[in-house]
Amino acid sequence: MNHLLSIEELNADLLNEFVSSAVKLKAERGNPSSLPLLGQTWAMIFTKSSTRTRVSFEVGVRELGGSIMFLSSNDIQLGRGEPIKDTARVLGRMVHGCIIRTFAQQDVVDFSKYGNIPTINALTDDEHPCQILADLLTVKEKLGTWEGKKIVFIGDGDNNMSRSWIWAAKHLGFELVIAAPESCHPPIKFMDKVNADNVTLTSDPIVACKDADIINTDVWLSMGQEGQAEKEVLFGAYQVNSELLTHANEDHIVLHCLPAYRDKEITEEVLEKHADTIFQQAENRLHAQKAVLAKIAKV
Ligand code: CP
Ligand code: NVA
């Protein structure tokens, strides 16, 4: 495997391997047992904003012995219309790997094909695989395992986070409930393709949260959807607040991939109460992505 393009393409063994490797890399931070990116230069091409993903990859590549350059799409010819396949064929002859955050999943797929270098999806409209690996690591650290746990995703059921969680549930077999307004459920065609009995959809956030172990949310409007006021108003009943959490298991944890919009998808009170978990989840981006880099880098 030389790319991380989606959770869809992974399997249980690979997911477990990434999480175990991240645990090891986290434990040996500052005293690495190997430098798999020594002598390598990686590029990041971002056409959307980022704090966590950008910083964790910049730090992670360096900690693995490599160097990294950040390329905002506005600063390279891609932003002026040069096709992704040409960009890929140029970078593929110069750098050792590329990390891409953009809109269309197809662009990341095309880059991997034409660049012929390890390629990582750092978020597209379809998936956010790096985030899911960090989330699984956080679940493992906080609850010991995801096996037998009930995980709820509340908010936009048809965004990159919900889709990646759905694929993770398909591979790993835990119970996943997506609670979203009907018009924000993943399409039937997508659910048919996933074909997972352990993933259910509901429009009732209270039913979803009943006996839940992990309550997970994300922004109501993803990057690129800013200003869609008619969509945002659908989510009033889907706020993660202390009242909703009374329906969850007593020792539940709350996850948020961040950035968080307080008093929209999550209340200030809940976010601060669960800040220890949520910022551990953010830190885990670094460790999980180092596991990916170490696995897919060409030696
Ligand atoms: N969660 C996440 O991907 O954060 P950034 O958008 O800040 O990278
Ligand atoms: N669904 C969000 C995730 C942000 C990390 C977005 O795409 O904006």
Side-chain angles (χ1 to χ4, degrees):
M1 196 201 63
N2 284 113
H3 308 295
L4 175 64
L5 304 182
S6 64
I7 298 291
E8 175 180 358
E9 286 180 358
L10 299 184
N11 56 45
D13 286 347
L14 280 168
L15 286 166
N16 278 299
E17 185 185 333
F18 282 133
V19 173
S20 302
S21 169
V23 169
K24 181 170 172 281
L25 288 162
K26 187 170 182 173
E28 66 178 33
R29 189 171 183 213
N31 187 24
S33 55
S34 67
L35 294 174
L37 268 54
L38 198 62
Q40 297 200 2
T41 301
W42 282 59
M44 279 192 288
I45 301 177
F46 279 37
T47 63
K48 289 176 175 171
S49 306
S50 171
T51 299
R52 280 142 289 270
T53 310
R54 176 177 175 176
V55 174
S56 53
F57 270 116
E58 293 210 20
V59 172
V61 167
R62 289 191 184 108
E63 288 191 0
L64 293 174
S67 36
I68 186 154
M69 66 179 76
F70 180 79
L71 303 169
S72 161
S73 61
N74 288 332
D75 298 337
I76 58 175
Q77 300 290 4
L78 184 68
R80 294 178 62 240
E82 184 169 25
I84 193 83
K85 62 181 183 180
D86 292 358
T87 308
R89 285 181 284 194
V90 173
L91 265 66
R93 288 160 186 262
M94 298 182 186
V95 299
H96 298 87
C98 191
I99 299 149
I100 306 179
R101 168 169 284 201
T102 191
F103 294 87
Q105 179 74 19
Q106 192 58 47
D107 282 350
V108 181
V109 172
D110 287 348
F111 191 98
S112 70
K113 210 161 59 191
Y114 286 95
N116 200 26
I117 49 172
T119 303
I120 298 176
N121 173 0
L123 181 149
T124 61
D125 289 348
D126 285 13
E127 282 229 29
H128 196 358
C130 297
Q131 182 69 53
I132 297 302
L133 297 177
D135 295 0
L136 290 171
L137 172 59
T138 311
V139 169
K140 197 177 174 73
E141 289 175 332
K142 286 283 174 188
L143 300 177
T145 180
W146 46 77
E147 271 169 39
K149 304 295 182 198
K150 178 178 178 183
I151 303 184
V152 181
F153 182 93
I154 303 181
D156 185 359
D158 190 25
N159 72 9
N160 40 22
M161 284 300 301
S162 56
R163 284 178 181 238
S164 289
W165 266 107
I166 289 169
W167 284 114
K170 162 80 177 177
H171 299 316
L172 297 172
F174 53 74
E175 181 184 359
L176 177 68
V177 182
I178 305 286
E182 190 96 25
S183 59
C184 298
H185 282 187
I188 292 168
K189 205 171 150 203
F190 173 78
M191 293 307 290
D192 285 348
K193 184 179 174 197
V194 178
N195 188 24
D197 293 344
N198 52 320
V199 179
T200 53
L201 311 179
T202 177
S203 301
D204 188 334
I206 295 176
V207 168
C209 281
K210 191 165 171 356
D211 301 326
D213 301 292
I214 296 137
I215 292 89
N216 191 2
T217 190
D218 181 18
V219 292
W220 290 337
L221 300 179
S222 286
M223 287 179 275
Q225 300 178 340
E226 295 86 355
Q228 288 187 19
E230 71 292 350
K231 180 173 178 186
E232 193 170 26
V233 293
L234 300 171
F235 292 102
Y238 297 85
Q239 183 186 68
V240 177
N241 54 39
S242 51
E243 209 288 311
L244 184 62
L245 293 176
T246 59
H247 302 280
N249 264 346
E250 211 174 313
D251 52 0
H252 66 262
I253 63 168
V254 173
L255 297 180
H256 193 311
C257 63
L258 301 174
Y261 290 88
R262 278 141 166 105
D263 298 326
K264 290 205 171 180
E265 75 273 6
I266 190 165
T267 59
E268 170 81 9
E269 182 193 6
V270 169
L271 191 137
E272 291 303 333
K273 186 172 174 198
H274 293 271
D276 179 51
T277 306
I278 290 168
F279 289 97
Q280 183 171 327
Q281 181 189 359
E283 179 196 324
N284 281 340
R285 296 293 305 278
L286 171 64
H287 312 299
Q289 289 157 200
K290 282 170 75 178
V292 173
L293 290 163
K295 168 98 179 158
I296 72 173
K298 279 187 189 155
V299 282

